[in-house]
Amino acid sequence: MIQNPVFSIKTFDFDANLVNEFNNLHYVKDLWPVVYILSDGNINEAYVGETTDAYARMSSHLKNNIKNKLSAVHLISSEKFNKSATLDIESNLIKYISGDGQYKLINGNIGLANHNYYQKKEVYWDIFKSIWDNLRAAGIAKHPIDFIDNSDLFKYSPYKTLTSEQKSGLLVIMKNLLDNTYKNIIIEGGAGTGKTILAIFLFKLLNTTNEDFNFEEFGDDEFEFMELVFELKKKYPNPKMALVVPMSSFRTTLKKVFKNIKGLNANMVIGPAEIVKDTFDIVIVDESHRLRRRVNLGAYFRAFDVVCEKLNLDKHTCNELDWIMKQSESAVYFYDEDQSIKPSDVKKEDFNKLKINSLTKTEFLKSQFRAKGGNDYVNYITKLLNCKLTTTDTIFSSKDYEFLLFESIEDLIDEIKSRDIQNGLSRLVAGYSWPWTTNKKDAEQDYDIEIENTRLKWNSTNIDWVNSVKSRDEVGCIHTTQGYDLNYTGIIFGNEITYDKESNEIRVIKENYYDVNGKQSIIDPNELKDFILNIYKTIMLRGIRGTYVYVCDKNLRDYFSQFMPNYKAEKETVLLEENEVIPYENSIPLYDLKAAAGNFSALQTVEDCQWIALPKTFKPSTDLFACKVVGESMNKIIPNGSICMFRKYTGGSRDGKIVLVEHTNWQDPDFGSGYTVKEYRSKKKTENEVWSHESILLKPLSFDSIYEDIIIEEDELTSLKVIGIFECVLQ
């Protein structure tokens, strides 16, 4: 049993004796709202629910042929719970357990909603975070919330709450799957409107069996959904389905997601050419604007022709859109013509023909909910790229979204790396304005891009690059980022794009564009310009929290500078006089502590501190502090002599994070502690080593290979303490 001043988590065997176990629980006897988790570690499955009548609900679950295979029930109760709060906590548990990956949920994915109620943010989100930490301590959950927030399992979870527009689109799809009036359903929406979420939601919904599906999850306001789902279950008790994803990188990512969702598997996610292997009741096509035609296919020409031959289609006139229509009884296309980026993509004219076909129904998604700048940001960059802004237009500004123009490539790189340390998933992305030379076996140099004497390398993998180990130090392209969410995107506009002041238009320079398959066969320069602008608009809509821009071409940079706020390096910290200090409101403490970036520092005692004001991009809080880091062992991230900001460590995962560690020498007569800053890694036991599971490594991140791991063995752990988690370099 886990006790907390606000809530408790009690665990029981999930069997026929459970009702007797409940006799002493006043939350159960008094019909108080509770949340519960049914789980089984052997089969790695779980179910999350909430109820005011735990007796009746557990009795019902024990009679269910799916749920009665689970072995434990974890009952979460609190005096602070009310019906709205438990519905919200239930919804959050479903989302985060799904994203955590420890268990596959057997919940259906209809009925989840955002519940607004008194003190939701002020009180109940903190309660949920504490519940989650306790679930991690009990082994029911594995990862911290901030880790899950950045995971693909969470981002593309079918348990996400749908927007009103998405629900409208879902209703259209469901109705037309039922009445057979339409064979094709097109869902149009720009980047960030949630097309992939809706595609996966729909796939999960249709692949939840009648036995798994729980109609108790529906609310009174979801009667229409309930009726449609019930009819769909009758029509498609076991539908043969495929999710077609044209881009190989994104397809690999979604295969991993499907592998971890109950009722789905990785084989359901296929490439367009695999459609030839079978016919399907329903095919869902995500990113359908990237379906191909027989132009500039390179090595794919032969495979394309083989599919056409097997389907008895003319290879010179057909495309992958035709393949889908031939192999599916019904097809749903998630489409955005503004994300078509190369000549091999199916022409928008072909989709336009499909739209006016009497067998096609079209629905639209308009609300932007990836980028926190919202539709205002989308409209602004659309006007910016199409030269529709004037000097009388207000420069885009948002308290929720950073949109900045950088004068220095080094500042852009530093800022993106800083954001990656703070928030994760912050990456550099560029237009294809430099040849890719490092991918050749006989490459003579270890870089592809050179700007202002700064050398950078293109992405070293095409598969799930944004999550790869090296991605922080590389530059991605459209092909490795389309479809993905990032927290911050640092975009390099290359030398293939410029601005003509006299005509007030953006122009492209074909010879500076190095995507051969992206420009070959194009005769009309305006067609190439459309593709390149689509590329930049698409990557400018990757960032959830912000987009940072560096422009190589001076004319284009001058044009952008009229309509974009300029980045100003504000990392210089300011020491405050005693009468200026308002602790943790306008400042944080700077401790007189010199943490070594080599081994541990000489012994120090930490007493007095000064107070420093932070740059405007940071808000002071009681869990932040600063100190100086001395040495070269972390110089990939922290230059020697830097003042760094840390967040006080209060528990949770440290693995893979840069930490400030204190080592106390209890036997030293003068007493004191040594400090170091390193990347924290758990050291697990292997066949060839005699480590305990509690041993750790403190890893340097240096350009100099002389620095070695600091190994902390089990008997030293009592003298070791993680003080803080590194946030960023201040100066």
Side-chain angles (χ1 to χ4, degrees):
M1 180 179 70
I2 295 173
Q3 288 285 8
N4 183 285
V6 178
F7 62 87
S8 69
I9 304 175
K10 295 183 172 66
T11 300
F12 306 91
D13 291 334
F14 187 53
D15 56 25
N17 296 320
L18 181 61
V19 174
N20 294 329
E21 296 279 350
F22 279 179
N23 283 337
N24 296 322
L25 300 177
H26 84 84
Y27 294 104
V28 175
K29 292 190 293 184
D30 297 342
L31 301 181
W32 196 261
V34 295
V35 185
Y36 60 90
I37 303 168
L38 307 179
S39 69
D40 192 302
N42 293 319
I43 59 176
N44 295 322
E45 291 184 359
Y47 176 88
V48 178
E50 70 81 38
T51 184
T52 54
D53 190 345
Y55 280 120
R57 186 61 60 86
M58 293 304 134
S59 297
S60 174
H61 289 333
L62 285 166
K63 295 174 184 176
N64 182 283
N65 291 331
I66 299 296
K67 299 185 185 73
N68 63 15
K69 295 176 183 177
L70 304 178
S71 59
V73 56
H74 315 278
L75 194 71
I76 306 168
S77 55
S78 171
E79 296 286 353
K80 287 186 173 291
F81 282 179
N82 54 55
K83 186 66 173 179
S84 294
T86 54
L87 284 169
D88 190 46
I89 290 170
E90 174 201 35
S91 181
N92 280 324
L93 281 174
I94 289 171
K95 294 172 189 175
Y96 279 96
I97 289 176
S98 171
D100 183 53
Q102 176 102 320
Y103 292 101
K104 289 185 179 182
L105 286 177
I106 63 175
N107 292 72
N109 62 326
I110 284 287
L112 297 179
N114 282 321
H115 303 277
N116 292 313
Y117 55 94
Y118 179 61
Q119 293 186 323
K120 174 178 178 176
K121 293 182 179 179
E122 299 87 344
V123 174
Y124 288 96
W125 176 244
D126 286 337
I127 291 176
F128 173 75
K129 289 191 293 184
S130 295
I131 289 171
W132 187 260
D133 288 339
N134 281 273
L135 292 175
R136 290 182 66 206
I140 301 164
K142 182 165 53 176
H143 297 105
I145 284 174
D146 59 348
F147 176 92
I148 296 172
D149 283 338
N150 283 330
S151 72
D152 290 326
L153 269 180
F154 184 76
K155 289 178 183 295
Y156 303 112
S157 168
Y159 296 102
K160 286 291 185 71
T161 304
L162 298 183
T163 66
S164 59
E165 280 188 12
Q166 289 172 321
K167 286 182 179 179
S168 175
L170 181 60
L171 280 170
V172 169
I173 295 168
M174 293 164 69
K175 288 174 180 177
N176 290 300
L177 288 174
L178 283 170
D179 70 13
N180 297 320
T181 300
Y182 302 107
K183 176 179 170 61
N184 305 296
I185 304 164
I186 298 176
I187 307 295
E188 288 202 63
T193 52
K195 299 184 298 299
T196 300
I197 293 294
L198 183 50
I200 297 173
F201 189 101
L202 177 61
F203 211 100
K204 166 65 176 171
L205 174 64
L206 294 171
N207 282 276
T208 300
T209 65
N210 285 329
E211 192 169 18
D212 280 349
F213 205 87
N214 180 19
F215 287 98
E216 294 173 352
E217 294 168 355
F218 287 103
D220 294 336
D221 59 341
E222 295 167 323
F223 185 73
E224 185 178 15
F225 266 129
M226 184 167 64
E227 280 194 321
L228 288 173
V229 170
F230 185 73
E231 292 299 319
L232 278 170
K233 295 303 168 190
K234 287 200 298 184
K235 182 175 181 180
Y236 298 109
N238 187 26
K240 188 188 292 184
M241 293 181 64
L243 176 63
V244 175
V245 182
M247 302 102 72
S248 61
S249 175
F250 195 42
R251 184 165 63 244
T252 301
T253 297
L254 293 189
K255 279 180 175 288
K256 294 176 183 176
V257 173
F258 270 49
K259 184 180 178 182
N260 284 278
I261 298 172
K262 171 73 172 177
L264 307 184
N265 63 71
N267 293 332
M268 293 174 168
V269 183
I270 65 174
E274 295 174 89
I275 200 77
V276 72
K277 296 178 181 178
D278 210 340
T279 57
F280 297 87
D281 298 321
I282 303 168
V283 173
I284 300 173
V285 187
D286 194 22
E287 308 281 347
S288 61
H289 38 269
R290 297 306 316 279
L291 292 171
R292 288 164 290 188
R293 61 193 184 104
R294 199 180 187 276
V295 175
N296 294 7
L297 294 179
Y300 185 61
F301 266 116
R302 176 57 186 155
F304 185 94
D305 292 349
V306 167
V307 174
C308 292
E309 183 179 343
K310 289 182 178 180
L311 295 177
N312 295 315
L313 295 171
D314 183 346
K315 66 182 182 182
H316 298 293
T317 59
C318 79
N319 54 47
E320 291 179 344
L321 184 59
D322 296 312
W323 302 356
I324 305 297
M325 288 190 284
K326 182 156 188 179
Q327 295 298 94
S328 61
E329 185 65 29
S330 296
V332 182
Y333 304 92
F334 291 89
Y335 176 67
D336 177 14
E337 67 178 52
D338 288 341
Q339 290 194 65
S340 176
I341 61 167
K342 58 199 308 185
S344 58
D345 294 344
V346 172
K347 289 184 173 182
K348 66 179 179 181
E349 289 82 3
D350 291 313
F351 275 98
N352 288 338
K353 289 178 184 176
L354 184 61
K355 290 177 194 175
I356 63 174
N357 189 303
S358 61
L359 298 178
T360 303
K361 177 69 175 178
T362 303
E363 180 74 8
F364 297 90
L365 301 173
K366 296 179 181 178
S367 296
Q368 166 67 224
F369 72 93
R370 173 190 289 133
K372 291 188 175 181
N375 287 344
D376 288 345
Y377 171 68
V378 177
N379 294 334
Y380 195 84
I381 65 169
T382 301
K383 289 180 179 179
L384 177 70
L385 294 175
N386 288 284
C387 302
K388 299 296 184 183
L389 294 171
T390 69
T391 53
T392 60
D393 285 299
T394 303
I395 291 179
F396 175 81
S397 177
S398 169
K399 63 181 178 63
D400 299 315
Y401 200 81
E402 290 186 83
F403 183 45
L404 297 172
L405 180 65
F406 283 67
E407 289 292 324
S408 161
I409 188 67
E410 280 296 332
D411 282 345
L412 175 71
I413 294 167
D414 289 347
E415 203 64 34
I416 283 295
K417 287 187 175 181
S418 176
R419 290 291 176 261
D420 190 58
I421 291 167
Q422 294 173 54
N423 305 286
L425 284 180
S426 300
R427 302 287 181 265
L428 289 172
V429 186
Y432 215 143
S433 184
W434 295 268
W436 195 347
T437 58
T438 55
N439 64 336
K440 299 177 181 178
K441 291 183 179 179
D442 57 348
E444 297 181 357
Q445 58 191 41
D446 61 354
Y447 65 93
D448 302 293
I449 300 167
E450 187 167 14
I451 305 170
E452 298 178 1
N453 298 318
T454 295
R455 293 174 172 178
L456 300 164
K457 185 177 180 180
W458 280 119
N459 46 270
S460 55
T461 179
N462 290 325
I463 304 301
D464 200 22
W465 171 76
V466 300
N467 295 306
S468 66
V469 175
K470 298 179 181 179
S471 58
R472 181 192 288 178
D473 299 312
E474 297 176 343
V475 181
C477 64
I478 182 65
H479 306 303
T480 51
T481 54
Q482 192 169 19
Y484 287 92
D485 291 350
L486 297 172
N487 284 320
Y488 287 87
T489 313
I491 299 173
I492 303 171
F493 278 72
N495 292 304
E496 88 285 23
I497 185 167
T498 185
Y499 173 74
D500 187 323
K501 186 175 182 179
E502 290 187 8
S503 61
N504 184 35
E505 66 174 328
I506 287 177
R507 292 184 175 175
V508 299
I509 305 171
K510 187 174 182 178
E511 57 267 29
N512 290 342
Y513 185 54
Y514 285 91
D515 187 348
V516 176
N517 290 328
K519 66 180 180 180
Q520 198 173 31
S521 79
I522 293 179
I523 299 174
D524 182 358
N526 288 322
E527 184 181 5
L528 180 60
K529 174 182 171 179
D530 288 343
F531 283 134
I532 291 176
L533 289 182
N534 281 355
I535 288 171
Y536 281 111
K537 182 177 179 181
T538 299
I539 59 180
M540 289 176 86
L541 292 172
R542 296 299 101 198
I544 296 170
R545 299 168 184 248
T547 297
Y548 300 153
V549 173
Y550 174 85
V551 183
C552 293
D553 181 84
K554 183 181 184 305
N555 291 336
L556 185 63
R557 184 165 63 246
D558 290 344
Y559 164 65
F560 275 13
S561 67
Q562 299 176 67
F563 305 108
M564 289 183 63
N566 286 305
Y567 168 80
K568 295 178 182 178
E570 294 181 334
K571 287 194 171 182
E572 190 71 26
T573 55
V574 179
L575 286 172
L576 299 180
E577 298 294 334
E578 186 174 348
N579 62 348
E580 298 177 301
V581 173
I582 306 175
Y584 304 110
E585 288 190 26
N586 68 350
S587 55
I588 64 170
L590 170 63
Y591 290 107
D592 184 19
L593 181 161
K594 295 178 179 63
N599 206 302
F600 286 91
S601 68
L603 297 184
Q604 304 174 67
T605 56
V606 180
E607 296 177 356
D608 297 332
C609 71
Q610 294 175 293
W611 291 84
I612 57 171
L614 292 179
K616 292 179 182 178
T617 50
F618 299 102
K619 183 179 180 181
S621 67
T622 56
D623 60 346
L624 294 177
F625 68 92
C627 69
K628 181 173 281 192
V629 176
V630 181
E632 300 289 349
S633 78
M634 294 295 289
N635 61 20
K636 284 186 177 181
I637 307 294
I638 304 172
N640 183 10
S642 297
I643 292 176
C644 296
M645 183 168 70
F646 294 85
R647 190 171 299 276
K648 293 176 184 176
Y649 178 70
T650 57
S653 175
R654 299 160 290 186
D655 213 28
K657 295 182 179 179
I658 297 172
V659 296
L660 171 63
V661 179
E662 177 186 28
H663 190 273
T664 303
N665 187 342
W666 302 104
Q667 293 159 0
D668 189 277
D670 298 323
F671 192 74
S673 299
Y675 298 86
T676 191
V677 175
K678 293 288 182 292
E679 185 177 85
Y680 188 103
R681 290 287 183 186
S682 297
K683 179 66 177 178
K684 295 183 179 179
K685 186 175 180 179
T686 68
E687 292 180 1
N688 300 320
E689 296 176 314
V690 191
W691 298 102
S692 91
H693 70 282
E694 293 181 331
S695 299
I696 62 169
L697 298 180
L698 299 176
K699 297 185 71 66
L701 298 174
S702 177
F703 293 110
D704 194 331
S705 59
I706 66 168
Y707 294 98
E708 298 180 350
D709 297 343
I710 298 176
I711 302 170
I712 306 297
E713 303 206 40
E714 188 174 12
D715 58 357
E716 298 178 284
L717 289 176
T718 55
S719 301
L720 196 77
K721 183 179 181 182
V722 175
I723 301 296
I725 304 295
F726 173 75
E727 288 285 310
C728 68
V729 173
L730 291 173
Q731 77 174 59

